[in-house]
Amino acid sequence: MAKNNPPFGGLLRALALCWVIILSDLIGEALSWKVRHYDFDVKYMFWSPDCVEHVMMGINGQFPGPTIRANAGDTVVVRLTNKLHTEGVVIHWHGIRQLGTPWADGTASISQCAINPGETFTYRFKVDRAGTYFYHGHYGMQRSAGLYGSLIVDVAEGEREPFHYDGELDLLLSDLWHKSAHDQEVGLSSLPFRWIGEPQSLLINGRGQYNCSLAAHYSDSSISNECNLRGGEQCAPRILRVLPKKTYRLRIASTTALASLNLAIGNHKLVVVEADGNYVQPFAVNDLDIYSGESYSVLITTDQDPSHNYWLSIGVRGRLPTTPQGLTLLNYLPNSASKLPISPPPITPKWDDYNHSKSFTKSIFARMGSPKPPTNSDRRIVLLNTQNRINGYTKWAINNVSLVLPPTPYLGSIKFGLKSAFDNKSPPESFSAGYDVMKPAANANSTVGSGVYTLGYGTTVDVILQNANALTANVSEIHPWHLHGHDFWVLGYGEGKFSQKDEKSFNLKNPPLRNTAVIFPFGWTALRFVADNPGVWAFHCHIEPHLHMGMGVIFAEGVHRVGKIPNEALGCGLTAKMSFSGNHT
């Protein structure tokens, strides 16, 4: 029988918690760490990001949401109020590892309950590492609806970056559909299946132009109609203003729902120095591929003819593009921003030139002095990505299991031993040795599941992401996979089906640390990480409709080490019932 709480027990505990928070804030101030407070009101609004009005999801009446800026070591506090009328909401802080605060990861049904209409939930977490990050909705397809913004973490006060620059420019890249996220969700779950299609526009810092182009006069294409941007203050491009003979850091993050992108600046080299919040060995390129969930910092030097301006362009990669390039100007001051460049925008590499993509991706190595991976792993999990059918519906599956999330968040379920809240059978560790990844499956039928891979705390885990043919012959897609709660070392990439002999090609000397990695068509990607962050963490394809269709898995580690989970993260499903009965105290 549960013990009755003493009178005013809840009040006393609340007061004690308040004092702990106050003291931690005071200690942080004394050590030059700061507590950064933000109030977020999430609601739908009319907005014209590509000069066509849609209903978008915004924060505090703006799109994209406000930029969060902090120094490494600071604590970020976001008080989020759900002002949507009919649906819940959560926000995931992409790339922030949530050390000691797994309930603040912002994943509905995994780390917390969805925040109901009218409710307020306070996210409180430490940003332990400098880097380029972003945040986005992680419930349904709310990222597709526009729920995202930038999160920039500068080095701690008194510290310096390992490279010099004179100024900084921030770029948040995204894609936009005129069809609502709700319409897209219904189509993905319908018989017959209705794919979302290609985006209508590409956005740079939330702005783009539908069916027209700033660069129209360079092209004879009918899609490149010249734009009249007067009165279009919500879609007029954010000009990147620079001074000649300076070095600038471009922080670039991609929160696209579908599109893989390529970015280039006319006549300017890009020197890559950071990837997903980790420093890399600097290397120069003419353009870079960036997949959904990835972030980079590049240095550019404004060493071109100062009497001209230059195009910055983004274009679709990995899919046959029907979406025009997104454009803005690198404006060399004191030139007017109305002065168009003398050359057309850089041409995006052919969409299926995968050698170009692989060349860039395989050029990324950890900066000297970065942590090295353990020499050996304790466990290997091989995850086969396949497109499948379940009762006629089109799904994605991992090792023939399509992920469905339970009503009760895993974190609370595992912490309090609610064994009936999700599938207790662990998902498959691999797939049949006879499976031919180069052909459509002989039997495309799959099943749904909500099981968890339970990892030994402190163990080293290898994950092999194995790509395969989709339902249609000779089709295999790019999938960028994102791991919550950790960074991983990318040990290598390969063609065809992974085998034991491929281990010889693993890079254990200077593999990059990332939180998002791509698997190329008909290929594999090898990752290694240490399961040293107590919590329950999603690992999934970052393409929004693919996750919605089941392409993801759940990792749990050291959940018994997790401290007190805030009640508001638990108040749904079985945990809500348990809280009323007092059985989990």
Side-chain angles (χ1 to χ4, degrees), residues 398-470:
I398 304 301
N399 293 345
N400 213 41
V401 178
S402 185
L403 179 65
V404 292
L405 296 176
T408 303
Y410 289 104
L411 184 62
S413 298
I414 297 173
K415 174 75 171 174
F416 299 122
L418 306 179
K419 296 183 178 179
S420 60
F422 58 90
D423 295 343
N424 285 286
K425 184 179 178 181
S426 181
E429 299 272 313
S430 188
F431 60 96
S432 170
Y435 190 95
D436 188 347
V437 301
M438 307 302 290
K439 297 179 181 178
N443 178 6
N445 290 330
S446 183
T447 186
V448 297
S450 60
V452 174
Y453 291 97
T454 301
L455 311 177
Y457 180 73
T459 60
T460 299
V461 181
D462 278 1
V463 175
I464 309 298
L465 291 168
Q466 176 67 64
N467 216 339
N469 202 106

Side-chain angles (χ1 to χ4, degrees), residues 292-306:
S292 177
E294 291 187 327
S295 64
Y296 291 99
S297 283
V298 302
L299 302 180
I300 64 166
T301 301
T302 50
D303 54 3
Q304 299 303 300
D305 186 337

Side-chain angles (χ1 to χ4, degrees), residues 2 6 34 83 137 295 313 411 428 581:
K34 290 183 171 60
K83 294 195 172 182
S295 64
S313 70
L411 184 62
S581 68

Side-chain angles (χ1 to χ4, degrees), residues 17 102-104 111-112 121-122 411 416 563-571:
L17 180 61
W103 51 82
S111 63
Q112 70 171 106
F121 183 90
T122 299
L411 184 62
F416 299 122
K564 177 173 169 51
I565 302 172
N567 287 337
E568 57 267 34
L570 297 171

